[in-house]
Amino acid sequence: VIPAVGFTENFDGMCLPSTYTPSSRTLPICWSYINECTNSSYMYYPTMYYYSYTNYANSTPNSLRFYSVYNSYTNYDPQPQYAILPEMSGLAGMQVTLMARGQNAQSTFKIGTMSDPTDASTFSMIAEQELTTSYPEEAFAYIIPATCTDSYLAIMIDAANSSRTTNGVYIDDIVISEARTCFKPTELAVTANSITSDGAIITWTPGGDETN
């Protein structure tokens, strides 16, 4: 069991060749997974990946990749996938930040906690995150409920289906820290042509009452 506060993972501690394929699953030490897919091409996700040719890692070279595909003409057997962090103490009330991007504009992931890393039914969702095909300027941030008694943090994707035939997600730069008491604003912008010698019109999306 490791303390939650101060935990970081950027998936770069293991050297992966550029030709790496999911013939075997590779995850950081003490991580675990759930994926009940039986198709040999997709049963090995989630896994760490190395990409040298594009920005699939926010901090190069590695990221954590989920990938689920549905095809009505073949037995792909897509299933939900869970990447489960090591057992931790003191998760309650902590803040989790991470970088993520989707393989396509329909990609999403869920973050939550688990009491049993072998039992998907114990997954308790904190948030579901919609993604674009690029990493955001600032990390996504989530607060673990102060009432949480679970010992495992988990990231999951729903299985692809006939409505969303591909769900691919890349995760990078996970950090667990003490929760902020003041949330910074986002989408800071200066109105065009408003800058004068006296000032400018500035707008933002508040992070909470303290930044209204």
Side-chain angles (χ1 to χ4, degrees):
V1 181
I2 61 174
V5 65
F7 175 89
T8 63
E9 181 58 71
N10 63 8
F11 306 102
D12 298 334
M14 183 179 294
C15 181
L16 301 176
S18 59
T19 56
Y20 184 76
T21 58
S23 56
S24 62
R25 184 182 284 103
T26 301
L27 289 169
I29 188 170
C30 296
W31 284 54
S32 56
Y33 66 90
I34 298 175
N35 179 4
E36 301 300 327
C37 179
T38 58
N39 184 279
S40 59
S41 296
Y42 301 101
M43 65 186 293
Y44 292 103
Y45 297 99
T47 190
M48 286 169 53
Y49 258 65
Y50 168 89
Y51 289 97
S52 60
Y53 57 88
T54 190
N55 61 337
Y56 286 113
N58 182 64
S59 59
T60 56
N62 301 336
S63 63
L64 175 69
R65 187 188 187 195
F66 296 82
Y67 189 59
S68 180
V69 172
Y70 171 84
N71 189 323
S72 61
Y73 298 103
T74 56
N75 184 26
Y76 277 5
D77 184 35
Q79 297 291 329
Q81 301 171 18
Y82 300 76
I84 304 152
L85 281 68
E87 185 178 8
M88 297 183 187
S89 62
L91 277 174
M94 292 293 104
Q95 175 179 266
V96 182
T97 60
L98 57 81
M99 299 295 285
R101 58 153 289 178
Q103 179 156 333
N104 52 57
Q106 291 183 315
S107 297
T108 63
F109 73 89
K110 297 175 182 178
I111 187 166
T113 60
M114 299 178 74
S115 60
D116 183 346
T118 67
D119 184 354
S121 69
T122 68
F123 180 79
S124 178
M125 188 178 73
I126 296 170
E128 182 172 10
Q129 184 67 59
E130 296 181 355
L131 298 172
T132 66
T133 54
S134 59
Y135 284 101
E137 291 185 4
E138 295 191 27
F140 297 112
Y142 313 96
I143 302 297
I144 300 172
T147 56
C148 174
T149 59
D150 294 338
S151 300
Y152 297 90
L153 185 70
I155 303 164
M156 70 88 71
I157 69 163
D158 289 317
N161 53 46
S162 59
S163 298
R164 179 172 57 179
T165 56
T166 300
N167 191 16
V169 174
Y170 302 87
I171 303 289
D172 208 353
D173 301 324
I174 300 173
V175 177
I176 301 178
S177 60
E178 293 184 357
R180 296 172 179 168
T181 57
C182 178
F183 291 92
K184 60 184 177 182
T186 58
E187 300 179 15
L188 187 67
V190 178
T191 303
N193 302 319
S194 71
I195 300 174
T196 68
S197 60
D198 296 322
I201 298 174
I202 300 174
T203 58
W204 63 88
T205 298
D209 290 340
E210 68 277 359
T211 52
N212 272 333

